[in-house]
Each structure stands twice: as structure tokens, then as C-alpha cells.
Amino acid sequence: MDIRVLQYFLAVAREASITKAAESLNMTQPPLSRQLKELEEELGKQLLIRGNRKVTLTEEGMILRKRAEEMVALMDKTKSEISSSGENISGEIYIGGGETEGIRLIAKVAEKIQKIHPDISYHLFSGNADDVTERLDQGLLDFGILIEPADIKKYDFIKLPTQDRWGLLMRRDHPLAEKHGIKPEDLQGIPLIASRQSLAHNELSGWLGKQYESLHIVTAYNLLYNASLMVEENVGCALCLDNIIPEYENSPLCFRPLEPQITVGLDIVWKKYQVFTKPAKLFLSMLQEEIRAQ
């Protein structure tokens, strides 16, 4: 498969129209249609359902879209790595991680690097541990930030000097907002919003004890900001980490830590035997200096 044709296919998937995709690619419709037809013939599968007003993807088309996005992203990353191999340190650094206050340390290092090497830029990817490690293994990320406990046996890593604590995010008018800490029995009968991985953590399930089996989970989330909107609209209370949703003055939401307290550490990981680009190597070096200085 030609990477250029994959870019054509992604343009059609994005625009949901061959005509609009052709306009965005600065080409005419007939050659674009021909390229897509040849791609379908090469794969032996129909990728697009061509309607009167809209083009939709078949199941095979959706699979190709996901893989094509990864291939194009890897190509762009490779180009960046090659272009950054000269004397001047410039290029891109790809970092993935869950939503955590620990990103603030990454931001401090990025700010210091920016003052010295303004031509270095960053790509941040947000996702859970599975999302991050998948992209890390595919070479789409330089570094991943994982919330413990995490399986890091196959990675090199540095433990970050920061911890997050588990708690409950709720509306300020919720009865539990009057408490200073949330105990397992407080969660009984409460509609809960939980991350897809949080309840699988041994520490959290151990903290819940017998209450684990009778929890009323109404929504699962991947990104806490979206979950916080559900909390604000009174769908339920969210089990989450602290300091991700700020408690500003007059905020309708508040956070209460679990009691007894549960804290988690953070690791920044990268592939073993990884050959770093100059920007990534510089970033790791300055991150280590920042950690030593704390």
C-alpha cells in the first residue's frame, strides 16, 4: 500500500465525501476515485459505501482507518527524527499518558527546553495504560507516563517524584460533600462513574473490600473531563485521581479523598534499547536533572 493512497483514504474518511476530500487534497475527483477503487481491489475488500450525499466506511474500512492513521503518524514521526539528526536540535517529542497532575513536571521540563531550543515541539496523547503502551510499542510515542500499578517489565523507566491520591468527585450540594473523607460504605447506593481501569487495580478493589461487588456503576470513562460534565449534570459521582479537575472558586464540583487514603505513583517509561532522537535524548536528560534537583 502506498502511503500517499492511505492519506487519500483518510481524507475521504474525514470528509465523508469524495468531492470534499478531492478539494482538500487539491486534486480532481476522478483520479481520487480511481485510487480508492484500486486500493479496494488491492485489499480485496470494499472499504467505502458510496451514498448519494455521504460516503461511509465499511467494517473493513474502519479497521483500515485506524491502521492508516497509525502508519501515517509513524511516517511523520520518522521524518521528524531524520530532520532532527543535524547539528541543530530541533524536531518533535511524542509523549503519552493518563490524566494526572504529574504532567506538570513534564511541562516544567518542556518550558526549560523551549527557552534553549525553541524549534523543539511536543505531541501529547491522552489515554489509559493500554492505549499508551500500544502506541509506545508501535513506535508512535517516545515516552509514556503510566499510573501505578502498571506492567513495566519490558520498558526502561524512571519513577517520577510525585503521587496522586484517589477520591470521589461530586457536586458541592451532594450529601457526601460534607465529609472530609470517603469510606467504602459511603459508596453504597450511590451512582458511580469509574474509569475503565480503576476498579481493576488491586489496591482500589482491596480498599472497597466486600463493597466491591455491590457498587452501582452507571458510567465508565476514559478522560476525566468528560466524566466531570456527567458529575456536574448529576448523573453520578466519579472515582478519580486528585488535582485533574480544578476546584476553583464557585466551582460546582468538589473532591473528597478516600479514607483510608490510597495514593499511586507515576512512572515515565520508554522502549528498551530505544535509539532516541536528539530532542528526546535532551528531554530525558533534563527530566533526570529536574528530578535530582527536587
Side-chain angles (χ1 to χ4, degrees):
M1 286 182 287
D2 190 322
I3 195 74
R4 177 174 51 86
V5 177
L6 290 180
Q7 291 173 321
Y8 292 168
F9 170 76
L10 289 175
V12 174
R14 183 176 60 251
E15 299 290 346
S17 164
I18 294 178
T19 302
K20 290 181 180 179
E23 292 174 357
S24 71
L25 294 166
N26 294 316
M27 63 188 300
T28 58
Q29 184 176 338
L32 176 57
S33 296
R34 186 173 63 252
Q35 293 276 12
L36 295 172
K37 192 66 177 175
E38 290 175 357
L39 178 62
E40 289 179 317
E41 291 173 356
E42 179 184 353
L43 295 175
K45 295 288 184 180
Q46 182 181 358
L47 303 172
L48 303 169
I49 301 173
R50 298 160 174 82
N52 292 331
R53 296 185 177 182
K54 187 177 181 181
V55 173
T56 57
L57 299 181
T58 63
E59 183 178 350
E60 291 79 8
M62 288 187 283
I63 293 172
L64 179 61
R65 180 178 188 172
K66 181 177 186 299
R67 295 306 178 193
E69 287 172 342
E70 293 170 352
M71 286 187 275
V72 170
L74 185 58
M75 182 194 69
D76 292 340
K77 186 173 184 296
T78 302
K79 285 181 179 179
S80 173
E81 289 173 353
I82 293 173
S83 66
S84 69
S85 61
E87 290 300 319
N88 295 326
I89 300 182
S90 63
E92 298 166 316
I93 300 171
Y94 293 75
I95 302 172
E99 293 179 303
T100 166
E101 177 71 7
I103 294 294
R104 191 174 298 278
L105 177 62
I106 304 302
K108 287 181 179 179
V109 174
E111 190 269 340
K112 290 182 178 180
I113 292 175
Q114 193 175 51
K115 289 180 177 178
I116 309 169
H117 301 286
D119 293 330
I120 293 177
S121 58
Y122 300 83
H123 293 264
L124 298 179
F125 170 79
S126 295
N128 61 32
D130 290 339
D131 299 329
V132 171
T133 53
E134 180 184 2
R135 295 179 74 87
L136 199 61
D137 294 342
Q138 291 171 344
L140 298 174
L141 296 175
D142 297 307
F143 304 99
I145 299 170
L146 303 181
I147 299 169
E148 297 176 351
D151 185 5
I152 59 175
K153 293 190 296 292
K154 62 180 180 179
Y155 302 110
D156 287 329
F157 71 96
I158 297 174
K159 191 173 181 64
L160 297 179
T162 183
Q163 285 191 326
D164 290 333
R165 60 179 179 168
W166 280 101
L168 197 67
L169 184 70
M170 69 195 80
R171 288 167 54 111
R172 287 192 182 276
D173 59 2
H174 194 281
L176 291 180
E178 298 178 3
K179 291 179 169 287
H180 295 293
I182 304 299
K183 297 180 179 179
E185 57 268 26
D186 294 329
L187 301 183
Q188 292 307 298
I190 300 296
L192 292 175
I193 301 170
S195 74
R196 293 184 176 90
Q197 289 189 322
S198 64
L199 294 180
H201 289 171
N202 290 335
E203 263 192 305
L204 197 54
S205 59
W207 176 84
L208 286 162
K210 295 178 181 179
Q211 317 292 334
Y212 180 82
E213 298 295 333
S214 55
L215 291 180
H216 181 35
I217 307 294
V218 295
T219 305
Y221 71 85
N222 186 31
L223 298 176
L224 184 57
Y225 175 74
N226 293 336
S228 73
L229 298 181
M230 303 287 279
V231 175
E232 195 168 330
E233 293 301 322
N234 211 24
V235 174
C237 301
L239 280 166
C240 62
L241 297 176
D242 198 4
N243 295 317
I244 300 174
I245 302 299
E247 293 186 57
Y248 55 86
E249 187 177 358
N250 298 324
S251 167
L253 304 180
C254 63
F255 177 92
R256 297 292 180 263
L258 301 185
E259 188 180 292
Q261 184 171 273
I262 299 179
T263 59
V264 293
L266 300 169
D267 301 309
I268 183 165
V269 305
W270 59 92
K271 291 171 66 175
K272 288 184 180 291
Y273 314 114
Q274 180 163 324
V275 179
F276 286 118
T277 61
K278 283 187 177 181
K281 187 175 182 180
L282 174 65
F283 172 83
L284 181 58
S285 175
M286 293 193 66
L287 176 63
Q288 291 169 323
E289 287 182 13
E290 184 71 21
I291 291 172
R292 284 194 293 267
Q294 292 192 7

